[in-house]
Amino acid sequence: MTTENSSADVQEGAAAPGPGIDTTLARRRSAELEQRLRVDPGRFRVLTGDRPTGRLHLGHYFGTLQNRVRLQDLGVETFVLVADYQVLTDRDVAEHLAEHVEDLVLDYLACGIDPERSTIFTHSALPALNQLLLPFLSLVSVAELRRNPTVKDEIAHSRQAAVSGLMFTYPVHQAADILFCKADLVPVGQDQLPHLEVTRTVARRFNDRYAAGNPVFPEPDALLSDAPLLLGTDGTKMSKSRANAVALAATADETAALIRRAKTDATRRITYAPAARPEVSSLVLLAALCQGRDPHAVAEEIGDAGAAALKRTATEAVNDHFAPLRARRQEYARDRTYLRKVLQAGNERAAAIAESTLDEVRAAMGTRYR
């Protein structure tokens, strides 16, 4: 499932949670799970990932990638999906797919995702995962898919000439992503709760219909993130598709050029006030995150020096913080064969789990003909 950022990425312009989803309860449950994670991380399995539609950016890093590395380092069994099939959910053609997949793996490795401790795999390499989609679709009604607020929003922002069946069934495909490995935790933003609720519904209905008393699937919980909201250089949501983001792979000069053109406002004194001054506050927050400081302190330090000083501070903070990551990325990029080996090993590991789960599904449904 691009999760947190989306099945695995937080979708651009995602909708608010739909009716019937108690976000207060979800947050309380997430807080409880965080406490349990610290006590016994090894009992949990996490599924997360992204669609390979372009290079990951600073918003992805602070929104999801840091958290994935944190969970991995805690000892949580972590599966990271490169959702190559799901590129087609909102576009007619998956352009430059192989290049984007390798870029995604490079970003993962550079950020600290360790293929020895986390399973990095691709959708297209797991036929058994995708076979789960058929029985899962029988468990969800057309009306339920239509009223999913995230699907509505994704359809509204689709780049396709016409809405495809894959777009419409996207939440069920994500259910297969999560349930094939029996993940019990899915790191998501609040906007992705409707998708996760579809997964929980599919798991519950499958168990009730085919495996009463001996459930095949867990009902996964949301691990809600309080990811900081970083705006793009144009003052809108930072996005791969809007050419307004600083890529993790950007050079120091490219970073400086992008931040120089970032939108601010006419008030000279720099303050941290996200509601009143979102563009200025986003730059302050970016600098603070990179420096490990409180954003109010960063703003106070810049004071009356104005937007130019703010942009210099943010540029220096980003380039200092990401210099080691960028060096690691360049090192990994010199050995493309290694990237393929990482994917091959992850695909083999994930495929074996998917085959085992599909065999359980067939046994429960009475379609194991041997």
Side-chain angles (χ1 to χ4, degrees):
M1 172 178 182
T2 36
T3 63
E4 290 177 299
N5 265 8
S6 127
S7 143
D9 57 351
V10 173
Q11 296 297 314
E12 318 292 7
I21 294 180
D22 187 338
T23 56
T24 301
L25 183 61
R27 290 208 165 274
R28 187 181 307 129
R29 174 65 174 158
S30 182
E32 293 171 357
L33 289 165
E34 279 287 357
Q35 291 179 347
R36 291 169 59 190
L37 275 170
R38 292 181 178 87
V39 174
D40 189 12
R43 72 170 297 275
F44 293 98
R45 179 176 280 184
V46 160
L47 185 285
T48 183
D50 307 274
R51 295 189 307 162
T53 55
R55 289 180 171 179
L56 299 181
H57 53 65
L58 304 187
H60 292 117
Y61 179 81
F62 290 112
T64 67
L65 296 171
Q66 269 192 326
N67 191 40
R68 293 176 193 176
V69 174
R70 177 184 74 91
L71 292 170
Q72 166 196 274
D73 291 349
L74 277 175
V76 178
E77 188 176 10
T78 305
F79 287 77
V80 185
L81 167 64
V82 178
D84 51 351
Y85 273 171
Q86 288 181 0
V87 171
L88 295 170
T89 54
D90 63 351
R91 57 200 73 198
D92 295 320
V93 178
E95 296 179 317
H96 311 295
L97 188 56
E99 176 187 340
H100 288 331
V101 167
E102 287 194 359
D103 274 341
L104 206 56
V105 176
L106 277 173
D107 286 336
Y108 289 161
L109 297 177
C111 286
I113 294 176
D114 180 355
E116 296 298 321
R117 294 182 290 162
S118 293
T119 302
I120 304 171
F121 67 100
T122 56
H123 245 156
S124 56
L126 272 62
L129 183 163
N130 294 296
Q131 284 188 62
L132 294 173
L133 183 61
L134 291 176
F136 285 0
L137 280 172
S138 74
L139 300 168
V140 182
S141 71
V142 171
E144 286 172 318
L145 291 174
R146 275 208 183 103
R147 64 175 175 258
N148 184 298
T150 316
V151 169
K152 287 181 184 178
D153 195 77
E154 285 163 359
I155 287 173
H157 288 84
S158 174
R159 300 181 191 177
Q160 292 177 308
V163 175
S164 71
L166 180 59
M167 169 68 85
F168 196 62
T169 60
Y170 188 34
V172 184
H173 205 171
Q174 288 193 327
D177 298 341
I178 297 165
L179 296 177
F180 95 91
C181 65
K182 301 186 180 181
D184 47 15
L185 283 183
V186 184
V188 293
Q190 186 171 293
D191 58 311
Q192 286 285 303
L193 285 174
H195 274 348
L196 187 58
E197 192 56 37
V198 172
T199 301
R200 291 173 56 83
T201 297
V202 166
R204 183 168 58 254
R205 289 177 182 171
F206 185 92
N207 291 336
D208 289 347
R209 186 174 298 182
Y210 298 111
N214 188 27
V216 173
F217 297 111
E219 292 183 38
D221 282 299
L223 194 63
L224 287 174
S225 65
D226 290 313
L229 176 61
L230 292 174
L231 299 180
T233 54
D234 59 357
T236 67
K237 180 181 175 69
M238 192 175 287
S239 163
K240 287 182 285 188
S241 62
R242 293 176 183 168
N244 69 354
V246 179
L248 295 178
T251 66
D253 288 343
E254 288 168 342
T255 299
L258 286 163
I259 293 177
R260 265 198 308 271
R261 75 183 197 210
K263 185 178 178 182
T264 54
D265 59 33
T267 302
R268 183 168 183 81
R269 182 164 184 81
I270 301 303
T271 58
Y272 182 65
R277 306 181 68 189
E279 297 94 349
V280 165
S281 296
S282 182
L283 285 173
V284 172
L285 177 60
L286 175 58
L289 288 168
C290 291
Q291 295 174 344
R293 299 174 62 196
D294 180 85
H296 294 282
V298 173
E300 182 65 28
E301 188 174 275
I302 299 169
D304 291 325
L310 169 61
K311 290 177 181 182
R312 284 195 301 273
T313 298
T315 298
E316 291 170 5
V318 169
N319 284 335
D320 288 348
H321 183 78
F322 286 98
L325 183 153
R326 289 166 173 173
R328 288 194 300 270
R329 195 182 192 282
Q330 289 177 346
E331 186 67 28
Y332 284 120
R334 294 190 184 99
D335 188 359
R336 297 276 170 168
T337 302
Y338 176 67
L339 303 183
R340 295 288 176 170
K341 287 180 179 177
V342 166
L343 278 177
Q344 181 181 354
N347 287 340
E348 289 175 356
R349 198 178 311 150
I353 293 170
E355 287 286 355
S356 176
T357 300
L358 182 60
D359 190 58
E360 287 185 69
V361 165
R362 287 170 173 159
M365 296 179 69
T367 56
R368 186 197 277 165
Y369 304 116
R370 64 174 187 271

